[in-house]
Amino acid sequence: MQATAYTYDSETRSGSVLLDDGTPLPFEAPAFDAGGLRLLRPGQRVRIEIEGGTADSGDGRRVVLVTLQTF
């Protein structure tokens, strides 16, 4: 799934992304670390993987991977 980086704290390696429908979804350090990134800037397009919930609901969803979107 694609999203846009919204916030990122380099000290905690956590932040949030915006889904294409504008829904914010937070991520924690393990999701950031799983993507192998060193830095993330707001506005960058990213690829995310989520667990839990459904595509239509934010309930129970959590980001398990954040990495840069490549073409």
Side-chain angles (χ1 to χ4, degrees):
M1 169 181 286
Q2 295 181 28
T4 302
Y6 185 53
T7 64
Y8 175 68
D9 182 335
S10 61
E11 290 185 23
T12 64
R13 297 182 327 281
S14 62
S16 63
V17 297
L18 289 177
L19 302 181
D20 289 343
D21 68 0
T23 303
L25 207 60
F27 65 86
E28 300 298 328
F32 182 79
D33 295 342
L37 299 176
R38 294 183 185 179
L39 179 65
L40 188 61
R41 292 185 311 256
Q44 285 182 299
R45 284 298 278 179
V46 294
R47 184 176 66 84
I48 61 170
E49 292 182 12
I50 59 172
E51 282 184 349
T54 65
D56 298 329
S57 168
D59 297 326
R61 286 190 294 181
R62 68 182 190 99
V63 177
V64 295
L65 177 117
V66 178
T67 193
L68 291 180
Q69 176 64 36
T70 58
F71 297 99

